[in-house]
């Protein structure tokens, strides 16, 4: 078979055979007249198979296609290079196009009122504002958006893809169109500000943008009017890229010489000439004292935080509360350190409660809440993630929320609480503070009036720092500016068990040197067990142990932690194996397939991105309320673990219970959900489970360190089973993640 043969033909789409959940890649079956196009080969199903970035093609609609013949798994397949829909012209064609998207009644109403709807949307996406929904019975904003998306993806965007010869993919074109809403604006921005145009699009970094733009210049598809390779624009885009990559690693500043040297190695054509000039850009900040450079927005954020924190205690509001009486008021007596925390918040506007796992931070926070309740003080409890907020609510027995939800964040509207509308409470307590990055914390301090509200930051300096930029807990502790109480006594775990293990790990002391048995249990209460196992057997052992634990625990009580998501010992593969033994509904016909995951009723799942408008399920047998623009919504934060309680095959809807609230999830929303029997250690931070199974195969040695192991072990409430290789663990324990990130914060706090 000639696999490189290029053919052109016309045909009508019969059906979508497969589509990717993570991209626009899809496979379609088409009806093609092979007598008219004798060079086109049908497959064994008597249709023509096409593949590529195709995005929601219209069934029965005619398309013109240019494609490359390939030898596919099920016969000849055509990889699409160019595809153009034959634009509906007659009234009948327009109505037929609409009918495929919406109901007969809705299509009739739309065509009667706006017979030129395709032209309206094709000319400029912003023209959609001209459509008056009051004149369209049965059509709400969501339905209109469906029509817009269909017209845009099938007509407008394919024209652009064809114009740029496939160098700019359909996915990129879609993102550009969402950003600029106009074909002419896209063309103008690509011509005049090519690097800014592409790199501001999510998922397109400098490296990808540079390759595409240089190819567009080489093929002369765009006349830029200047040489991209030697341009200042290219140099500026690279600098911004490096600084963003540096931020992705948690730093807020970068050494100028390191930045220059990296650039000279990668883009010497423009770096040597334009580097110094680019550093003067108003969007950058250069610091001569440290020899560092930062994005201006990042530096300004640190400055704003430092100014607030430095002066938060200038006029401390002292409460006349007898904090001493709470030392023996609970089930257990508070230590002197713990009671000191109660005193500290009574005498200061701001404080840090720091302590290792098991040191009594939870008990101290709970007693502090009791003191506030009994003395008529109001408070709000928040945490960076949904899991951490649930834990906070559990041990305080009081409502707690994520920081986003607590501050009323709701895109696109923004933040509900800010300097103009501060939160109204006497105390704001933020748990798991080490996980809070500078950008999130800047919104916290914007919403606090320190003349009325005190701030308590609770954290563990031994845990992993925030995923985002900054290292606030570490920097605040090192600055000695913020009043701090550190709890040192460990008493959560039984003597000799996880208490000792966690302490050894925190202190970077190898604790498995004398392991000779395959299974070794530590402590009188036997809460920690290390299972020495060969790497290739770890997945089987995990499944066997999990199955055994199911006799005494529910699936939601058991959590398997790994340092990686991919690979033989990663969360993806472990989830696939555990689903089979944890869910009795596995293999049933009633399921929802999203990408490579098949979801069943009773599956444990985890939210992987904030869902600010999750639609509340009210228990009705129909989904009419789910499609209602006015349906009740709730917030499901990133990291929240839930349970699938229903699969609706007819409407392709899953009902998931998150923290007692049932919500609708359609196929698109399910792309931001994964199986949650096993999650990464980073995702687990701030949460806990009755039983933890922790995997440390030799292949994960590079990722493992004492901080990560400490986080994993301290997630358990009752038992921890650690499966791996003792030598691997001992090596990892001696490594410590560098918690001292490159930031300006400590210097700013002392200035």
């Amino acid at each position: 078979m000639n696999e490189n043969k290029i053919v052109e033909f016309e045909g009508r789409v019969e059906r979508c055979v497969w589509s990717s959940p993570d991209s626009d890649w899809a496979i379609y079956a088409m009806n093609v007249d092979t007598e008219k196009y004798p060079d086109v080969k049908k497959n064994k199903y008597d249709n023509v198979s096409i593949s590529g970035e195709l995005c929601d093609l219209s069934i029965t609609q005619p398309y013109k296609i240019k494609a490359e013949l390939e030898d596919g798994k099920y016969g000849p397949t055509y990889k699409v290079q160019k595809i153009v829909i034959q634009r509906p012209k007659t009234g009948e064609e327009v109505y037929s196009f609409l009918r495929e998207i919406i109901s007969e009644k809705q299509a009739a109403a739309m065509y009667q009122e706006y017979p030129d709807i395709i032209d309206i949307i094709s000319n400029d996406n912003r023209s959609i504002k001209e459509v008056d929904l009051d004149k369209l019975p049965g059509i709400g904003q969501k339905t209109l958006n469906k029509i817009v998306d269909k017209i845009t993806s099938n007509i407008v965007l394919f024209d652009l893809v064809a114009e740029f010869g496939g160098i700019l993919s359909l996915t990129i074109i879609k993102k550009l169109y969402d950003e600029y809403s106009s074909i002419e604006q896209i063309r103008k921005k690509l011509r005049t500000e090519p690097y800014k145009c592409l790199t501001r699009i999510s998922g397109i970094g400098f490296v990808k943008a540079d390759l595409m733009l240089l190819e567009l210049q080489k093929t002369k598809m765009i006349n830029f009017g200047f040489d991209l390779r030697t341009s200042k624009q290219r140099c500026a885009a690279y600098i911004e890229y490096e600084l963003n990559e540096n931020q992705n690693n948690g730093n807020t500043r970068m050494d100028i010489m390191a930045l220059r040297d990296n650039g000279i190695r990668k883009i010497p054509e423009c770096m040597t000439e334009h580097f110094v000039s680019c550093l003067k850009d108003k969007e950058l900040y250069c610091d001569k004292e440290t020899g560092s450079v930062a994005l201006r927005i990042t530096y300004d954020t640190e400055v704003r935080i430092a100014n607030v924190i430095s002066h938060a205690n200038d006029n401390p509001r002292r409460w006349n509360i007898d904090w001493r009486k709470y030392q023996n008021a609970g089930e257990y007596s508070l230590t002197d350190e713990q009671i000191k925390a109660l005193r500290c918040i009574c005498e200061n506007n701001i404080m840090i409660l720091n302590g290792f796992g098991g040191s009594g931070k939870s008990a101290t926070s709970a007693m502090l809440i009791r003191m506030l309740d009994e003395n008529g003080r109001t408070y709000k409890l928040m945490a960076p993630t949904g899991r951490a907020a649930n834990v906070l609510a559990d041990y305080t027995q009081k409502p707690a929320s994520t920081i986003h939800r607590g501050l009323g964040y709701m895109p696109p509207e923004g933040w509900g609480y800010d300097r103009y509308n501060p939160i109204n409470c006497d105390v704001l307590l933020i748990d798991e503070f080490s996980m809070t990055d500078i950008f999130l914390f800047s919104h916290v301090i914007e919403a606090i009036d320190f003349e009325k509200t005190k701030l308590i930051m609770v954290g563990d300096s031994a845990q992993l720092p925030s995923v985002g930029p900054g290292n606030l807990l570490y920097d605040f502790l090192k600055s000695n500016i913020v009043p701090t109480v550190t709890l040192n006594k460990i008493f959560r775990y039984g003597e000799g068990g996880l208490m000792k293990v966690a302490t050894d790990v925190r202190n970077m002391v190898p604790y498995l040197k004398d392991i000779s048995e395959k299974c070794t249990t530590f402590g009188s209460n036997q809460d920690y067990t290390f299972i020495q196992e060969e790497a290739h057997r770890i997945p089987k052992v995990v499944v066997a142990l999990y199955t055994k634990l199911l006799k005494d625990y529910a699936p939601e009580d058991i959590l398997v932690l790994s340092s990686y998501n991919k690979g033989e010992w990663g969360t993806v593969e472990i989830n696939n194996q555990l689903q089979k033994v944890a869910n009795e509904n596995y293999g049933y016909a009633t399921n929802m397939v999203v990408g490579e995951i098949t979801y069943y009723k009773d599956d444990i799942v985890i939210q992987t991105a904030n869902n600010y408008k999750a639609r509340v399920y009210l228990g009705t047998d129909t989904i009419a309320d789910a499609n209602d623009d006015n349906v009740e919504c709730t917030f499901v934060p990133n990291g929240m673990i839930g349970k699938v309680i229903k699969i609706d095959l007819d409407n392709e809807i899953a009902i998931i219970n998150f923290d007692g609230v049932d919500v609708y999830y359609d196929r698109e929303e399910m792309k931001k959900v994964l199986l949650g029997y096993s999650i990464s250690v980073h995702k687990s931070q701030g949460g806990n489970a009755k039983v933890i199974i922790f995997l440390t195969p030799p292949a994960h040695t590079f990722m493992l360190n004492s901080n990560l192991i400490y986080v994993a072990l301290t997630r358990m409430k009752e038992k921890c089973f650690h499966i791996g290789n003792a030598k691997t663990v001992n090596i990892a324990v001696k490594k410590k993640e560098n918690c001292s990130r490159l930031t300006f914060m400590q210097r700013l706090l002392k200035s």
Side-chain angles (χ1 to χ4, degrees):
M1 182 180 292
N2 185 1
E3 297 184 3
N4 296 316
K5 186 175 183 180
I6 306 298
V7 295
E8 296 185 22
F9 56 92
E10 296 181 11
R12 293 180 182 270
V13 175
E14 289 184 354
R15 69 181 186 279
C16 179
V17 178
W18 179 86
S19 62
S20 168
D22 306 314
S23 68
D24 293 314
W25 191 270
I27 301 172
Y28 281 85
M30 295 196 73
N31 183 3
V32 179
D33 185 352
T34 51
E35 290 187 2
K36 184 177 180 180
Y37 301 99
D39 291 338
V40 176
K41 301 180 183 297
K42 290 186 177 182
N43 56 35
K44 65 180 183 180
Y45 302 106
D46 198 36
N47 55 47
V48 175
S49 181
I50 64 171
S51 67
E53 287 192 315
L54 299 172
C55 176
D56 196 23
L57 300 185
S58 290
I59 310 301
T60 76
Q61 291 297 319
Y63 289 88
K64 293 181 178 180
I65 294 172
K66 180 181 179 181
E68 179 183 0
L69 177 61
E70 295 183 333
D71 190 8
K73 183 178 180 181
Y74 301 103
T77 300
Y78 291 88
K79 185 178 180 181
V80 175
Q81 295 183 345
K82 179 180 178 180
I83 181 168
V84 179
I85 191 173
Q86 297 185 47
R87 183 186 291 253
K89 297 178 181 179
T90 67
E92 185 179 347
E93 288 174 344
V94 172
Y95 174 80
S96 178
F97 184 89
L98 292 171
R99 182 64 185 85
E100 185 189 334
I101 312 168
I102 53 183
S103 70
E104 182 178 351
K105 186 176 180 180
Q106 289 172 323
M110 175 62 75
Y111 180 73
Q112 182 176 349
E113 194 66 36
Y114 298 100
D116 58 343
I117 185 65
I118 293 177
D119 291 332
I120 291 174
I121 295 169
S122 299
N123 293 335
D124 192 335
N125 198 13
R126 286 168 293 193
S127 299
I128 194 64
K129 296 177 181 178
E130 299 175 9
V131 177
D132 187 353
L133 292 176
D134 292 336
K135 298 179 179 179
L136 300 171
I139 297 179
Q141 189 61 52
K142 288 184 179 180
T143 301
L144 181 61
N145 291 342
K146 283 173 62 179
I147 298 171
V148 172
D149 290 344
K150 195 77 171 183
I151 294 172
T152 301
S153 62
N154 274 270
I155 297 174
V156 179
L157 301 187
F158 277 134
D159 290 344
L160 282 176
V161 173
E163 180 177 338
F164 297 119
I167 295 173
L168 299 183
S169 68
L170 177 60
T171 300
I172 293 172
I173 294 292
K174 284 175 66 177
K175 290 180 177 180
L176 287 171
Y177 194 76
D178 289 340
E179 179 71 26
Y180 298 109
S181 303
S182 163
I183 295 175
E184 288 308 313
Q185 272 291 97
I186 294 174
R187 292 189 179 115
K188 180 183 177 182
K189 290 292 183 180
L190 279 172
R191 188 175 63 254
T192 59
E193 298 180 303
Y195 283 96
K196 281 188 176 181
C197 177
L198 287 184
T199 56
R200 71 185 295 176
I201 303 301
S202 173
I204 305 178
F206 171 81
V207 176
K208 186 182 290 186
D210 194 46
L211 287 172
M212 290 186 293
L213 290 171
L214 292 178
E215 186 64 22
L216 287 171
Q217 178 176 261
K218 180 182 177 181
T219 57
K220 298 181 180 180
M221 290 182 181
I222 298 179
N223 181 15
F224 295 104
F226 58 93
D227 184 8
L228 292 180
R229 193 173 292 277
T230 60
S231 68
K232 185 178 178 179
Q233 283 197 35
R234 189 183 186 211
C235 181
Y238 175 79
I239 290 172
E240 185 177 356
Y241 161 76
E242 279 283 8
L243 292 176
N244 276 309
E245 286 295 294
N246 186 57
Q247 284 192 181
N248 290 338
N249 292 325
N251 305 297
T252 62
R253 63 182 175 89
M254 186 175 183
D255 181 78
I256 290 178
M257 299 307 295
L259 175 63
R260 188 202 66 173
D261 292 345
N262 289 347
I264 290 175
R265 285 196 302 271
K266 296 177 181 178
I267 52 169
E269 305 93 337
C270 61
M271 180 61 66
T272 50
E273 181 179 353
H274 298 297
F275 179 68
V276 174
S277 175
C278 285
L279 290 182
K280 298 176 182 178
D281 191 296
K282 63 181 181 180
E283 294 182 357
L284 302 181
Y285 170 78
C286 293
D287 185 75
K288 294 181 180 179
E289 184 176 338
T290 60
S292 302
V293 61
L295 295 172
R296 171 64 67 173
I297 188 172
T298 306
Y299 176 73
D300 289 347
T301 300
E302 285 199 282
V303 170
R304 189 161 57 251
I305 292 172
N307 287 338
V308 171
I309 295 300
S310 298
H311 298 288
N313 243 12
D314 285 352
N315 298 296
R317 292 178 295 107
R318 303 180 185 276
W319 287 346
N320 186 24
I321 294 177
D322 185 7
W323 42 267
R324 296 176 184 82
K325 75 176 187 178
Y326 294 95
Q327 185 158 13
N328 299 305
E331 184 178 354
Y332 304 101
S333 296
L334 298 185
T335 65
D336 290 342
E337 291 174 338
Q338 290 175 303
I339 201 67
K340 184 180 177 182
L342 273 61
R343 175 184 178 180
C344 188
I345 196 58
C346 288
E347 297 179 347
N348 297 280
N349 296 341
I350 186 170
M351 68 163 289
I352 293 173
L353 175 60
N354 179 47
F356 304 131
S359 63
K361 296 190 302 295
S362 299
T364 306
S365 299
M367 185 59 73
L368 189 149
I369 297 301
R370 176 176 172 178
M371 181 183 76
L372 296 175
D373 278 333
E374 293 182 356
N375 289 273
R377 308 290 179 172
T378 59
Y379 50 85
K380 292 185 183 293
L381 309 179
M382 301 182 192
T385 68
R387 287 179 58 77
N390 282 347
V391 172
L392 177 60
D394 184 53
Y395 72 71
T396 61
Q397 294 297 296
K398 301 292 182 180
S401 71
T402 63
I403 295 174
H404 284 86
R405 188 171 188 177
L407 297 185
Y409 182 64
M410 189 66 72
E413 292 84 0
W415 300 84
Y417 294 100
D418 53 25
R419 70 178 69 182
Y420 306 107
N421 182 37
I423 56 175
N424 183 24
C425 61
D426 294 312
V427 173
L428 171 60
L429 185 149
I430 299 178
D431 201 8
E432 299 293 347
F433 186 71
S434 65
M435 301 169 66
T436 308
D437 64 54
I438 62 169
F439 294 120
L440 181 56
F441 189 63
S442 69
H443 292 290
V444 173
I445 60 173
E446 282 283 312
I448 295 179
D449 180 355
F450 282 97
E451 293 184 1
K452 299 178 180 178
T453 301
K454 295 171 181 272
L455 174 64
I456 303 175
M457 296 163 282
V458 183
D460 181 349
S461 56
Q463 290 200 17
L464 300 167
S466 62
V467 175
N471 200 3
L472 291 175
L473 179 61
Y474 181 87
D475 287 340
F476 287 173
L477 291 172
K478 288 291 184 181
S479 73
N480 295 318
I481 293 291
V482 183
T484 300
V485 176
T486 298
L487 307 180
N488 294 300
K489 183 179 179 180
I490 309 296
F491 49 79
R492 183 196 295 174
Y493 309 116
E495 188 65 37
L498 194 59
M499 177 193 73
K500 184 178 184 307
V501 171
T503 302
D504 286 345
V505 171
R506 190 178 66 243
N507 294 328
M508 303 171 65
V509 177
Y511 65 96
L512 297 175
K513 288 186 175 181
D514 300 324
I515 295 295
S516 58
E517 302 293 328
K518 189 165 184 172
C519 184
T520 306
T521 299
F522 291 69
S524 57
N525 60 357
Q526 300 184 333
D527 55 0
Y528 174 77
T529 300
F530 182 79
I531 302 172
Q532 176 89 357
E533 192 55 77
E534 296 178 19
H536 73 276
R537 282 188 44 79
I538 289 178
K540 292 182 179 179
V541 173
V542 171
V543 173
L545 175 60
Y546 195 100
T547 304
K548 184 178 179 180
L549 288 168
L550 286 174
K551 296 178 181 178
D552 300 310
Y553 297 94
E556 47 263 51
D557 295 328
I558 312 168
L559 190 59
V560 180
L561 302 181
S562 178
S563 51
Y564 281 90
N565 291 320
K566 297 182 179 179
E568 186 178 357
W569 307 276
T571 61
V572 174
E573 180 58 30
I574 296 296
N575 269 315
N576 292 337
Q577 296 300 318
L578 294 181
Q579 185 188 35
K580 299 175 184 177
V581 300
N583 194 342
E584 296 180 351
N585 299 307
Y586 180 83
Y588 280 34
T590 304
N591 60 65
M592 177 183 284
V593 180
V594 182
E596 297 181 355
I597 303 176
T598 302
Y599 295 94
Y600 301 90
K601 180 179 178 295
D602 294 334
D603 265 332
I604 306 299
V605 296
I606 182 170
Q607 184 75 23
T608 61
N610 286 335
N611 185 348
Y612 298 99
K613 295 186 177 181
R615 298 166 296 170
V616 176
Y617 173 65
L618 302 176
T620 59
D621 293 330
T622 67
I623 65 160
D625 55 337
N627 293 323
D628 187 348
D629 294 335
N630 298 315
V631 66
E632 182 184 349
C633 292
T634 188
F635 173 60
V636 180
N638 181 12
M640 177 75 79
I641 288 185
K643 186 175 184 177
V644 178
I645 63 170
K646 184 178 181 180
I647 300 285
D648 184 339
L649 290 178
D650 293 333
N651 299 294
E652 295 190 315
I653 295 286
I655 310 300
I656 305 177
N657 181 277
F658 287 106
D659 196 25
V661 180
D662 298 338
V663 295
Y664 285 102
Y665 268 55
D666 59 26
R667 188 172 295 279
E668 189 65 27
E669 291 165 322
M670 288 296 289
K671 293 178 182 179
K672 297 180 180 179
V673 170
L674 295 173
L675 293 175
Y677 302 99
S678 176
I679 65 176
S680 70
V681 177
H682 283 85
K683 281 284 188 184
S684 76
Q685 190 163 324
N688 57 40
K690 288 183 179 180
V691 181
I692 293 294
I693 302 175
F694 179 39
L695 315 183
T696 54
H700 290 187
T701 299
F702 176 78
M703 185 70 172
L704 295 171
N705 54 59
S706 61
N707 309 75
L708 189 138
I709 294 175
Y710 174 80
V711 170
L713 300 186
T714 54
R715 297 310 93 201
M716 78 90 173
K717 295 169 74 174
E718 295 182 8
K719 291 184 179 295
C720 176
F721 296 91
H722 187 170
I723 308 173
N725 177 274
K727 182 179 178 181
T728 299
V729 176
N730 287 328
I731 293 172
V733 166
K734 290 187 255 186
K735 297 190 305 180
K736 195 175 188 73
E737 181 169 308
N738 186 8
C739 293
S740 58
R741 293 174 168 178
L742 290 176
T743 74
F744 288 110
M745 186 58 66
Q746 289 186 48
R747 186 171 68 98
L748 289 170
L749 287 171
K750 294 177 180 180
S751 61

